[in-house]
Amino acid sequence: MKKIVYFGMVMAASALTSCNKYLDIQPVGTVIPASESDFRGLMTSSYTGFPAHKSYLSLRTDELLLDESSTDAARTKDIYLWNDQNPDPATIAYPYLAFYKCIFYTNQIISTIDEKLASNATVDQIKGEAYLMRSYAHFELLNLYSEVYSASNVGLRGVPLSTKIDLEQRFVPATIGESYAQIVADMEKGTTLLTVDDQVKGVNYRFSKRAAHAMASRVHLYRGEWQQAIDAAKKALAINDKLVDLNVAGSQLPNDFESVEMIMALEKVSIPEVRSSSFISPSLLSAYSDGDLRKERYFQKRSGDYVSLKGGDNRFNVSFRNADLYLTMAECYVRLGNTAEALKYLSALKKNRFTADTYTKETKADASLSKEQLLDAVMLERKRELALEGLRWYDLKRTTRPTITHSSFGRTVTLQQNDPRYVIRYPQEAINNNPDLLK
């Protein structure tokens, strides 16, 4: 099959003058896609390049302590101390450009696939994945660099939207309302195109109908659209509602890509630089009561401190899994005042995470809680179940934005309640390339 270099050297010169100013994406070395395998290759490139930002987010929460003796601590200490304004040059920068490189591949697919190939199940699936990846990348950018969605926030600065290949385009941030409109439109369009209900193990880093519904549930949860989040979660669970039972000897970790509850195993949530420079915080460890099987399955004691067993290998990549959906259902039902349904989903998860005796005590105690207490119990369960999967920061940001104090290298820094630093500052390199980001 003949492959033609896309844009080539002539367009590379244009990229150096225009793209460096805005997104700095240079499409040299890509190809003009002509076959299903070409388009699948572009989509795989988008998946492969998806950033590991959620690993860094765990450092900002109450989940980790920085290990000052680690050689990687110099690269992570300013993340740990929320120093986004003037970090040490050695600090790992939060990803920005990487999201748009992923989006670039999806825009190639969306803009050309209909011209090259007739519609069939495979073509529609690839195109649907492209729309969903474009949606998900913009969604993660918004979660990092913008305020949370609310009726009063829709006019605030969102993120630059990239929906076409245009090297001369200026990337001025859209509003939060406009950003979400694009995210939801792409998500819905992509979902209608998908032909695969559930990806098989090994390629379940790709979007499927089950993953699309799980994503929709999270989007609606973060927007405070409780019933819509429930409806989407039910669609995903109708395809597969299984949970890993930690009472069973030899059971897999729930975030293992081969576990029965894994939906989409895409994102690296525990990269080496973070794993080697941190320990599990006492705050997180103390959240697990006696009889909670997760403490010994999720963590391991090493030289007096605890480290995570949930990452460090691509087999533990995770974006969506069933336990997350069970907790979304529980949270949304509580917020809607339906505590009976909330207890049903919370209890179903706990049955698979606690010893039998402790589970009986837990369900009895939960049944006596008020609505407000039950919501606290659900959020505690999110902290325990989804630990170090990159969602804790988003949960803190979208709810109470509590005070957190971190100490490192002789400095003690406090993230105050409702601190502006719950919205992460764009990386300086991104601002230098595109001053429009601050408009």
Side-chain angles (χ1 to χ4, degrees):
M1 177 182 62
K2 182 179 179 182
K3 293 189 176 182
I4 305 170
V5 175
Y6 186 60
F7 289 118
M9 297 304 295
V10 174
M11 291 308 295
S14 174
L16 288 173
T17 59
S18 61
C19 288
N20 271 359
K21 185 177 179 183
Y22 302 115
L23 289 181
D24 196 24
I25 295 174
Q26 299 182 44
V28 180
T30 57
V31 301
I32 296 177
S35 66
E36 289 180 4
S37 62
D38 289 343
F39 283 103
R40 172 51 69 191
L42 288 176
M43 196 62 234
T44 299
S45 294
S46 184
Y47 287 128
T48 302
F50 202 79
H53 59 295
K54 287 182 177 171
S55 193
Y56 311 139
L57 290 181
S58 294
L59 284 167
R60 298 179 75 94
T61 70
D62 53 1
E63 296 178 309
L64 296 173
L65 293 180
L66 195 68
D67 177 10
E68 296 179 8
S69 66
S70 166
T71 57
D72 285 316
R75 304 185 68 203
T76 57
K77 64 180 177 62
D78 278 331
I79 297 174
Y80 183 71
L81 297 174
W82 310 288
N83 181 17
D84 306 321
Q85 185 71 33
N86 187 30
D88 187 289
T91 302
I92 300 169
Y94 279 95
Y96 173 74
L97 177 60
F99 286 107
Y100 287 100
K101 286 185 175 179
C102 293
I103 292 170
F104 176 83
Y105 289 115
T106 68
N107 284 339
Q108 280 189 289
I109 294 169
I110 292 167
S111 65
T112 60
I113 195 168
D114 289 339
E115 300 172 8
K116 300 294 182 178
L117 300 173
S119 174
N120 61 40
T122 300
V123 170
D124 289 350
Q125 174 67 27
I126 295 170
K127 187 177 178 182
E129 290 177 41
Y131 274 107
L132 283 156
M133 177 58 93
R134 188 168 77 178
S135 176
Y136 192 54
H138 281 125
F139 178 58
E140 286 299 312
L141 281 162
L142 201 61
N143 287 329
L144 289 170
Y145 301 118
S146 298
E147 264 292 354
V148 296
Y149 179 90
S150 71
S152 60
N153 284 349
V154 292
L156 298 182
R157 186 184 68 200
V159 295
L161 299 174
S162 177
T163 59
K164 59 185 177 181
I165 298 175
D166 180 358
L167 297 181
E168 300 300 326
Q169 178 183 353
R170 290 187 65 185
F171 287 89
V172 179
T175 65
I176 290 176
E178 292 165 341
S179 299
Y180 262 117
Q182 184 65 53
I183 289 165
V184 172
D186 279 349
M187 182 176 67
E188 293 178 347
K189 174 69 172 178
T191 303
T192 63
L193 288 165
L194 294 179
T195 58
V196 175
D197 286 343
D198 197 12
Q199 298 284 4
V200 298
K201 308 305 180 187
V203 295
N204 55 343
Y205 60 86
R206 300 174 182 173
F207 275 102
S208 61
K209 290 183 181 179
R210 186 176 165 219
H213 296 319
M215 176 184 164
S217 182
R218 185 175 295 168
V219 169
H220 290 305
L221 174 69
Y222 287 10
R223 283 165 57 97
E225 296 164 341
W226 315 127
Q227 188 59 54
Q228 288 170 273
I230 290 170
D231 294 343
K234 284 184 175 180
K235 290 179 181 178
L237 292 173
I239 298 172
N240 176 354
D241 64 355
K242 295 178 182 177
L243 292 168
V244 172
D245 188 352
L246 295 182
N247 287 282
V248 176
S251 57
Q252 293 171 312
L253 283 177
N255 67 311
D256 190 299
F257 84 97
E258 290 187 303
S259 83
V260 295
E261 69 179 67
M262 179 59 70
I263 301 173
M264 187 171 174
L266 172 64
E267 294 169 85
K268 295 179 177 66
V269 295
S270 185
I271 63 171
E273 293 90 341
V274 174
R275 289 178 62 81
S276 67
S277 63
S278 62
F279 301 120
I280 307 303
S281 72
S283 170
L284 179 55
L285 291 171
S286 65
Y288 299 90
S289 58
D290 292 340
D292 191 330
L293 298 166
R294 289 169 295 194
K295 185 173 182 178
E296 66 179 32
R297 292 299 308 276
Y298 289 3
F299 313 112
Q300 181 181 67
K301 195 169 187 179
R302 185 179 300 167
S303 301
D305 293 292
Y306 282 85
V307 295
S308 173
L309 296 175
K310 296 182 75 177
D313 190 293
N314 284 342
R315 73 177 303 112
F316 301 118
N317 292 0
V318 57
S319 293
F320 309 105
R321 60 186 180 91
N322 282 351
D324 182 10
L325 295 181
Y326 275 71
L327 289 166
T328 293
M329 300 274 277
E331 178 183 344
C332 292
Y333 273 123
V334 173
R335 294 187 184 278
L336 290 172
N338 192 338
T339 56
E341 282 297 294
L343 285 167
K344 182 176 78 172
Y345 286 97
L346 183 61
S347 175
L349 176 62
K350 286 187 172 184
K351 186 175 183 180
N352 292 278
R353 301 295 189 259
F354 290 88
T355 62
D357 289 344
T358 304
Y359 165 70
T360 299
K361 296 175 183 176
E362 286 278 323
T363 52
K364 183 178 180 180
D366 289 343
S368 66
L369 298 177
S370 66
K371 176 184 173 181
E372 292 73 19
Q373 291 170 329
L374 183 56
L375 181 59
D376 289 341
V378 172
M379 298 312 294
L380 174 60
E381 200 60 27
R382 285 186 67 87
K383 177 179 179 178
R384 296 189 287 210
E385 176 62 28
L386 304 175
L388 301 173
E389 294 183 27
L391 299 179
R392 176 67 175 165
W393 178 254
Y394 295 158
D395 281 349
L396 296 175
K397 178 181 176 180
R398 71 182 175 87
T399 56
T400 59
R401 299 192 177 192
T403 297
I404 306 173
T405 298
H406 285 171
S407 296
S408 179
F409 293 98
R411 294 181 61 195
T412 297
V413 179
T414 298
L415 189 73
Q416 302 292 346
Q417 186 167 19
N418 296 317
D419 199 296
R421 287 172 292 180
Y422 271 105
V423 177
I424 299 173
R425 186 177 187 271
Y426 283 113
Q428 189 60 48
E429 182 182 6
I431 296 171
N432 291 343
N433 285 333
N434 182 12
D436 286 336
L437 283 177
L438 298 183
K439 291 186 176 180

